[in-house]
């Protein structure tokens, strides 16, 4: 082959490389922007923090929750007392919250248990890894607190956020 | 034209085509990140998270300059860009419906575009009764 022929083949080869690079870039950009931002981990964390703030302040149970030796919080009034709104446009509820309050002397049986939202989401918390993005996201927190008479309590909070359609493709 | 002229012309065409290719690629990349669908989703989720974390008597300012530019281009009135209905944030930057995302914090929220049309104010007035 003469020199001119070789140059022509080289430029065809060069354009094939350009097309391959362009194809790769288009594919990567399409894949990147076609996936929605997944903020469910953050939402579940914020929900847990909100519930913790609702129950306890500066290390003491709030008076609107615990007054004169008894809890005024129940599964029925929990959303109202903690200023939460679990309504959504989807048919299925998108949130679940579970609070367990234990006396420090007996950490086996909770003295108060509050459940609210979609109980079907609890099973998602058993598998939380990258391969199962379509499952709901969970956040678990526990902390110690005191009442006015310095009795000690352990509070466990589980928050779950589904919203799969808006956060995963 | 002699052989030297042919080689020069060939190289110039080759370089020009390469530059055109790179320009298209860069424009494509820039346009993808600034599309209405991406920005609507990003701001709706951002605002929902801010509201979830907020407490009454808070005033939140969110810089949305790129969203304002896009809304202006698409003839969307600035006061309609962000709407809050019940517990849904709706961000609309084109005439194709917008993007909505829900928040769980049961607060009353007022939203107003800033005077310089670069951001939005969110005023958390109280908890809903």
């Amino acid at each position: 082959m003469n020199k001119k022929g070789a140059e022509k083949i080289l430029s065809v080869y060069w354009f094939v490389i350009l097309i391959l690079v362009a194809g790769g870039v288009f594919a990567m950009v399409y894949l990147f922007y076609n996936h929605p931002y997944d903020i469910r981990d953050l939402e579940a964390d914020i929900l847990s923090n909100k519930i913790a703030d609702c129950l306890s302040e500066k290390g003491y149970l709030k008076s609107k929750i615990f007054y004169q030796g008894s809890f005024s919080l129940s599964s029925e009034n929990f959303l109202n007392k903690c200023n939460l709104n679990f309504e959504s446009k989807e048919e299925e509820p998108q949130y679940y919250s579970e609070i367990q309050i234990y006396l420090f002397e007996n950490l086996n049986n909770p003295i108060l248990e509050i459940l609210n939202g979609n109980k079907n989401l609890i099973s998602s918390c058993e598998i939380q890894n990258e391969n199962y993005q379509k499952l709901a996201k969970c956040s678990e927190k526990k902390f110690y607190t005191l009442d006015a008479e310095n009795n000690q309590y352990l509070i466990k909070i589980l928050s779950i956020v589904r919203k799969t359609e808006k956060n995963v493709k | 034209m002699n052989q030297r002229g042919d080689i020069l012309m060939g190289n110039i065409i080759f370089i020009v085509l390469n530059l055109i290719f790179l320009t298209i690629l860069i424009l494509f990349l820039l346009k993808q990140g600034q599309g209405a669908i991406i920005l609507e989703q990003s701001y709706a989720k951002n605002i929902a998270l801010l509201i979830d974390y907020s407490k009454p008597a808070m005033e939140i300012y969110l810089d949305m300059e790129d969203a304002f530019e896009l809304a202006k281009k698409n003839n969307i009135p600035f006061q309609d860009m962000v709407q809050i209905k019940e517990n849904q944030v709706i961000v609309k930057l084109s005439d194709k419906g917008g993007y909505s995302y829900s928040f769980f914090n049961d607060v009353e929220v007022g939203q107003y575009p800033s005077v310089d049309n670069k951001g939005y104010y969110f005023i958390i007035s109280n908890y809903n009764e």
Side-chain angles (χ1 to χ4, degrees):
Chain A
M1 202 182 287
N2 60 19
K3 199 182 168 192
K4 215 170 179 181
E7 274 176 3
K8 270 187 183 167
I9 287 172
L10 193 66
S11 52
V12 170
Y13 175 68
W14 180 241
F15 276 105
V16 169
I17 289 174
L18 284 187
I19 289 164
L20 283 176
V21 169
V25 171
F26 282 113
M28 280 189 286
V29 169
Y30 180 78
L31 282 175
F32 181 76
Y33 285 114
N34 207 27
H35 279 81
Y37 299 109
D38 192 353
I39 59 164
R40 293 173 302 159
D41 278 326
L42 286 170
E43 275 190 283
D45 270 346
I46 296 173
L47 182 55
S48 291
N49 287 340
K50 274 267 160 203
I51 295 170
D53 285 347
C54 167
L55 301 175
S56 171
E57 189 176 27
K58 295 175 184 170
Y60 284 90
L61 281 168
K62 281 187 172 174
S63 57
K64 70 171 182 178
I65 304 298
F66 185 83
Y67 188 66
Q68 290 186 336
S70 66
F71 284 94
S72 57
L73 197 66
S74 67
S75 294
E76 288 72 38
N77 68 11
F78 158 67
L79 291 180
N80 194 28
K81 283 225 173 205
C82 289
N83 301 108
L84 297 170
N85 182 355
F86 283 180
E87 283 171 25
S88 62
K89 281 203 276 183
E90 289 82 5
E91 278 180 29
E92 199 182 351
Q94 302 294 302
Y95 300 99
Y96 176 77
S97 282
E98 188 176 305
I99 304 164
Q100 290 172 325
I101 302 179
Y102 297 84
L103 256 177
F104 198 67
E105 295 83 46
N106 181 7
L107 297 177
N108 296 319
N109 299 309
I111 53 166
L112 181 69
E113 191 168 44
I114 287 154
L115 317 169
N116 203 300
N118 186 352
K119 286 180 185 170
N120 296 330
L121 303 179
I122 300 170
S123 56
S124 299
C125 298
E126 288 164 19
I127 314 167
Q128 291 282 298
N129 67 43
E130 297 258 319
N131 300 323
Y132 298 97
Q133 290 291 319
K134 291 204 171 181
L135 294 176
K137 295 284 178 186
C138 307
S139 164
E140 277 185 272
K141 286 197 191 302
K142 53 184 168 185
F143 61 94
Y144 294 95
T145 189
L146 302 168
D147 64 15
E149 286 149 15
N150 284 337
N151 296 311
Q152 295 173 313
Y153 299 89
L154 169 69
I155 299 180
K156 288 183 183 176
I157 299 169
L158 170 67
S159 301
I160 310 177
V161 178
R162 186 178 171 272
K163 293 187 177 179
T164 308
E165 291 78 12
K166 292 266 182 184
N167 288 279
V168 189
K169 196 151 195 176
Chain B
M1 205 179 281
N2 60 19
Q3 203 188 350
R4 271 181 115 177
D6 279 346
I7 291 167
L8 187 65
M9 188 55 92
N11 284 343
I12 288 169
I13 291 169
F14 186 70
I15 289 165
V16 168
L17 285 174
N18 274 321
L19 286 175
I20 290 170
F21 169 81
L22 282 172
T23 312
I24 291 169
L25 208 63
I26 289 164
L27 286 175
F28 169 76
L29 287 174
L30 289 175
K31 201 170 159 43
Q32 283 300 306
Q34 293 170 341
I37 296 168
I38 302 284
L39 283 183
E40 280 171 355
Q41 187 204 152
S42 152
Y43 280 119
K45 287 183 174 175
N46 232 319
I47 294 164
L49 286 177
L50 285 171
I51 294 172
D52 278 338
Y53 230 124
S54 65
K55 285 179 179 171
M58 272 189 177
E59 182 182 301
I60 301 162
Y61 175 77
L62 183 63
D63 188 343
M64 296 176 68
E65 204 172 341
D66 46 358
F68 274 90
E69 279 170 21
L70 197 62
K72 192 178 175 184
K73 209 170 108 186
N74 293 330
N75 294 320
I76 303 293
F78 293 150
Q79 65 271 21
D80 295 342
M81 268 172 58
V82 180
Q83 292 172 48
I84 294 169
K85 287 179 183 166
E86 294 170 1
N87 66 334
Q88 298 276 332
V89 179
I90 304 157
V91 178
K92 189 178 157 98
L93 301 176
S94 71
D95 50 5
K96 287 175 188 162
Y99 186 93
S100 70
Y101 201 80
S102 63
F103 52 91
F104 54 76
N105 197 7
D106 199 13
V107 285
E108 285 174 22
V109 189
Q111 76 284 5
Y112 315 95
S114 64
V115 182
D116 58 1
N117 289 329
K118 284 184 176 175
Y120 245 89
Y121 285 101
F122 299 92
I123 316 287
I124 316 296
S125 49
N126 211 340
Y127 286 119
N128 282 318
E129 290 299 318

